């Protein structure tokens, strides 16, 4: 095969990998807590789960998978906060998750 065919084949394989859900490539490229609210709201539920999981790992400094309920609650909190956020460029790491229930 010539170089052009190999390049086209590699590009097609990369496109399939990126479109196939929560791939390792997607997890590696995901910004976690640096994801803007506008980008978070545009993600599908699976990608939001990857984003929140990475965000929790960044916050805790742990490579361990967070509990499913922790991810679910954080997803709901970030979703709500991003929907009312005046500045859609605010990163989700700036969401005050603890302040939802407790007034400061």
């Amino acid at each position: 095969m010539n170089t052009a065919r190999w390049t086209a084949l590699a590009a097609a394989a990369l496109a399939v990998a990126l479109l196939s859900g929560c791939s390792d490539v997607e997890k590696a490229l995901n910004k976690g807590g640096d994801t803007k609210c506008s980008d978070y709201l545009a993600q599908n539920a699976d990608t939001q789960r990857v984003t929140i999981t990475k965000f929790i790992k960044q916050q805790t400094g742990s490579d361990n998978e967070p509990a499913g309920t922790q991810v679910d609650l954080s997803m709901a909190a970030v979703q709500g906060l991003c929907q009312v956020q005046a500045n859609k460029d605010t990163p989700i790491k700036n969401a005050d998750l603890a302040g939802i229930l407790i007034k400061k």
Side-chain angles (χ1 to χ4, degrees):
M1 251 186 218
N2 65 24
T3 304
R5 284 189 182 175
W6 276 111
T7 302
L9 184 60
L14 179 60
V16 168
L18 290 174
L19 295 174
S20 65
C22 296
S23 68
D24 289 337
V25 172
E26 181 179 352
K27 289 178 183 177
L29 296 177
N30 191 295
K31 296 178 184 176
D34 289 328
T35 303
K36 295 177 187 176
C37 275
S38 59
D39 295 336
Y40 179 81
L41 293 173
Q43 294 174 345
N44 65 36
D46 291 334
T47 305
Q48 286 179 342
R49 186 166 208 77
V50 170
T51 300
I52 294 298
T53 298
K54 188 168 186 175
F55 171 42
I56 292 170
K57 287 179 178 183
Q58 290 168 339
Q59 293 295 96
T60 61
S62 173
D63 287 333
N64 296 331
E65 291 297 314
T69 54
Q70 182 181 13
V71 175
D72 293 339
L73 291 172
S74 296
M75 285 177 68
V78 169
Q79 180 80 20
L81 289 171
C82 283
Q83 286 176 335
V84 299
Q85 187 64 246
N87 181 0
K88 297 296 183 189
D89 289 335
T90 298
I92 65 170
K93 69 182 177 187
N94 292 346
D96 184 8
L97 299 180
I100 294 172
L101 301 175
I102 302 169
K103 293 280 185 189
K104 293 182 180 178

